[in-house]
């Protein structure tokens, strides 16, 4: 139990939501008002305010797409037959996809870097060796066997360093 502003709150690690059949996990983090933040298994977050009312809130975690120094995994996704589908990045590659999205396939983590470096590595791989699920506009631009190959394509990090 935890005492907060004269109220006693019970903070279980997992609370069942029978009407929806899902679970809720206590994140161990608090909002600016001191309310504990819970995560639904659907991915949404909420708090229970001082009046006992459930209120939707933002994730307590640093936004995953921020180009900072947060640890980021570089991964490759494969289908159930072992065919390469894509290269990507995620804070946690093994929880990036649902079981249904993996559909018998697997995720292989090939490295970990700060996000600002991982995004560069992901782009380099995707430009040269994209999988069919890499939908980025630059996917395959540097792969002569790819339909999107562009012999005149200059990657931004090279283009920005030229004197033209």
């Amino acid at each position: 139990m935890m005492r907060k502003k004269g109220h006693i709150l019970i903070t279980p690690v997992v609370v069942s939501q029978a009407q929806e059949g899902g679970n809720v996990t206590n994140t161990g983090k608090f909002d600016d008002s001191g309310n504990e933040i819970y995560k639904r298994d659907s991915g949404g977050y909420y708090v229970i305010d001082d009046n006992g009312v459930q209120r939707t809130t933002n994730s307590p975690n640093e936004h995953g797409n921020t180009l900072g120094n947060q640890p980021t995994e570089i991964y490759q996704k494969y289908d159930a037959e072992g065919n390469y589908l894509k290269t990507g990045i995620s804070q946690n590659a093994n929880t990036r996809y649902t079981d249904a999205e993996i559909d018998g396939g697997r995720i292989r983590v090939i490295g970990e870097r700060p996000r600002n470096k991982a995004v560069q590595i992901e782009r380099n791989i995707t430009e040269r060796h994209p999988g069919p699920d890499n939908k980025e506009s630059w996917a395959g631009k540097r792969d002569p066997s790819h339909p999107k190959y562009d012999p005149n394509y200059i990657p931004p990090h090279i283009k920005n360093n030229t004197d033209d």
Side-chain angles (χ1 to χ4, degrees), residues 31 103 122 125 160:
D31 69 5
D103 194 25
E122 175 200 24
I125 293 170
N160 293 339

mmCIF file of all heavy atoms in Angstrom, residues 31 103 122 125 160:
data_model
loop_
_atom_site.group_PDB
_atom_site.id
_atom_site.type_symbol
_atom_site.label_atom_id
_atom_site.label_comp_id
_atom_site.label_asym_id
_atom_site.label_seq_id
_atom_site.Cartn_x
_atom_site.Cartn_y
_atom_site.Cartn_z
ATOM 1 N N ASP A 31 2.609 10.423 -12.401
ATOM 2 C CA ASP A 31 2.425 11.657 -13.161
ATOM 3 C C ASP A 31 2.799 12.854 -12.282
ATOM 4 O O ASP A 31 3.219 12.685 -11.134
ATOM 5 C CB ASP A 31 0.999 11.764 -13.719
ATOM 6 C CG ASP A 31 -0.072 11.987 -12.657
ATOM 7 O OD1 ASP A 31 0.263 12.156 -11.459
ATOM 8 O OD2 ASP A 31 -1.254 11.992 -13.028
ATOM 9 N N ASP A 103 3.650 -14.126 -36.391
ATOM 10 C CA ASP A 103 3.024 -15.252 -37.085
ATOM 11 C C ASP A 103 3.987 -16.418 -37.317
ATOM 12 O O ASP A 103 4.147 -16.897 -38.442
ATOM 13 C CB ASP A 103 2.429 -14.770 -38.410
ATOM 14 C CG ASP A 103 1.466 -15.786 -39.037
ATOM 15 O OD1 ASP A 103 0.902 -16.608 -38.289
ATOM 16 O OD2 ASP A 103 1.308 -15.753 -40.272
ATOM 17 N N GLU A 122 20.325 1.725 -39.537
ATOM 18 C CA GLU A 122 19.102 1.175 -40.140
ATOM 19 C C GLU A 122 18.927 1.701 -41.559
ATOM 20 O O GLU A 122 18.640 0.943 -42.488
ATOM 21 C CB GLU A 122 17.881 1.554 -39.302
ATOM 22 C CG GLU A 122 16.569 1.112 -39.932
ATOM 23 C CD GLU A 122 15.367 1.855 -39.398
ATOM 24 O OE1 GLU A 122 15.520 2.989 -38.890
ATOM 25 O OE2 GLU A 122 14.260 1.306 -39.495
ATOM 26 N N ILE A 125 21.479 0.109 -44.037
ATOM 27 C CA ILE A 125 21.098 -1.266 -44.391
ATOM 28 C C ILE A 125 19.885 -1.263 -45.304
ATOM 29 O O ILE A 125 19.850 -1.986 -46.316
ATOM 30 C CB ILE A 125 20.822 -2.101 -43.118
ATOM 31 C CG1 ILE A 125 22.116 -2.294 -42.322
ATOM 32 C CG2 ILE A 125 20.201 -3.459 -43.485
ATOM 33 C CD1 ILE A 125 21.912 -2.894 -40.938
ATOM 34 N N ASN A 160 24.776 16.336 -47.952
ATOM 35 C CA ASN A 160 24.988 17.499 -47.068
ATOM 36 C C ASN A 160 26.453 17.835 -46.889
ATOM 37 O O ASN A 160 26.788 18.896 -46.394
ATOM 38 C CB ASN A 160 24.348 17.254 -45.709
ATOM 39 C CG ASN A 160 22.833 17.199 -45.802
ATOM 40 O OD1 ASN A 160 22.254 17.713 -46.757
ATOM 41 N ND2 ASN A 160 22.208 16.554 -44.853
#
